[in-house]
Amino acid sequence: MGQPIKILIVEDEMIIAANIAMQLRELGYEVTAMVSRGLEALTHIRKNPPDIVLLDIQLKGTLDGIETAQLMQKEYDIPIIYLTANADDFYFNRAKGTHPFAFISKPFKKLDLQHAIELTANQMMFRNNPKPNPTEAGKASFVLSDRIFVRHNEKMIKVIIKDIYYVEAERNYCKIHTKDKVYLLVTTLKDMEEKLPTGHFLRIHRSYIANLAQVDEVSSSHVVISKKAVPMGKGLRSKLLDRLHTI
């Protein structure tokens, strides 16, 4: 089931923070908190990790925004969008070392905020997580994070990968079928096949990728997933059964 993207705002000007929060909620995102200091942000992240952090570079207090990001990144891999009223080379070059997904210069428009978040979500969607488990070596070439981000009703929402039933090709689009909704994604099935974790998903037909954990029945020409018959290509049944035996 789709969920709103969760965003933490770290901004020491509370009027600005409140305005950002209002705009984010209007865009359909969830604001987990508004905090004004770096140490507060780190405490909040440990209790309720967001999907994205909007972080003022020039925070007051013990830690500025860049130092806060550096400490956060020792424990978490959460995308950062920097907010800045001062884009001089000193701060910019320091900030680059934390690999932010975007910079937003104050004052900014609602559209600037929307675009920065959507670009970040798109990058997150197909970003590999290069942290292989030694016991899983050789089973997959990479491990994707546990979610993807899709546009639905004019906003970006996250879909947890394990909740996907199957993916269906429709020309240059893909339909992602979950328990409650169908999401349309502007990408090809080939691209989806390359990005989904190979340990759990298998292309069973030229137009379908199945989540192996969701397969209820296997027939000679199709599989059943949540009472839906999904076509299976000729000669793929044995491969599918082999994979089902290993999960």
Side-chain angles (χ1 to χ4, degrees):
M1 183 176 178
Q3 304 169 23
I5 293 174
K6 298 194 298 184
I7 300 174
L8 171 65
I9 301 169
V10 189
E11 165 62 64
D12 55 20
E13 299 274 350
M14 281 295 103
I15 293 177
I16 294 176
N19 182 52
I20 293 171
M22 179 183 69
Q23 293 183 55
L24 290 174
R25 290 181 181 120
E26 288 175 355
L27 290 168
Y29 302 117
E30 176 185 339
V31 177
T32 62
M34 296 179 291
V35 299
S36 60
R37 295 290 185 268
L39 290 176
E40 288 180 79
L42 295 172
T43 298
H44 177 81
I45 288 167
R46 291 187 186 105
K47 293 179 180 177
N48 184 18
D51 298 309
I52 297 172
V53 176
L54 288 179
L55 180 58
D56 186 8
I57 285 183
Q58 294 170 291
L59 288 176
K60 300 182 180 71
T62 308
L63 303 172
D64 68 13
I66 299 167
E67 292 166 331
T68 300
Q70 289 167 340
L71 289 173
M72 181 190 78
Q73 290 174 339
K74 289 181 179 180
E75 299 181 59
Y76 301 94
D77 185 20
I78 300 174
I80 295 167
I81 298 174
Y82 279 123
L83 308 171
T84 177
N86 185 347
D88 63 27
D89 289 342
F90 173 73
Y91 282 105
F92 181 74
N93 288 329
R94 282 183 63 215
K96 279 196 303 185
T98 61
H99 309 291
F101 278 60
F103 285 85
I104 303 179
S105 296
K106 304 176 191 175
F108 53 84
K109 299 175 182 177
K110 184 176 180 179
L111 193 60
D112 297 329
L113 185 64
Q114 181 178 2
H115 285 171
I117 292 169
E118 291 190 8
L119 286 170
T120 298
N122 282 333
Q123 292 179 69
M124 289 165 66
M125 177 179 167
F126 290 138
R127 183 177 60 171
N128 294 346
N129 177 13
K131 297 177 182 176
N133 183 335
T135 62
E136 297 295 315
K139 289 188 179 180
S141 59
F142 63 84
V143 180
L144 198 68
S145 69
D146 66 348
R147 66 202 64 193
I148 62 174
F149 294 84
V150 300
R151 179 182 288 278
H152 184 68
N153 293 337
E154 300 304 315
K155 63 183 179 183
M156 297 295 287
I157 62 172
K158 63 183 175 185
V159 177
I160 304 302
I161 284 179
K162 67 180 179 61
D163 293 337
I164 296 173
Y165 284 172
Y166 59 93
V167 183
E168 177 185 3
E170 189 170 287
R171 295 177 184 161
N172 290 325
Y173 297 85
C174 283
K175 287 182 177 179
I176 299 175
H177 295 258
T178 68
K179 177 181 178 181
D180 299 304
K181 289 186 174 67
V182 177
Y183 303 98
L184 191 65
L185 194 63
V186 186
T187 189
T188 64
L189 195 67
K190 184 175 183 296
D191 287 337
M192 285 297 297
E193 182 181 18
E194 292 173 353
K195 302 305 181 182
L196 288 169
T198 55
H200 298 281
F201 287 84
L202 178 67
R203 188 163 183 168
I204 61 171
H205 185 275
R206 65 184 180 187
S207 300
Y208 291 90
I209 297 171
N211 183 347
L212 302 180
Q214 300 287 0
V215 173
D216 299 314
E217 299 176 25
V218 179
S219 178
S220 59
S221 60
H222 66 271
V223 300
V224 177
I225 298 178
S226 188
K227 299 181 181 180
K228 166 73 175 179
V230 179
M232 180 169 55
K234 291 181 178 179
L236 290 175
R237 187 173 187 271
S238 59
K239 183 178 181 180
L240 173 61
L241 290 173
D242 286 343
R243 290 288 302 278
L244 289 174
H245 290 155
T246 61
I247 64 170

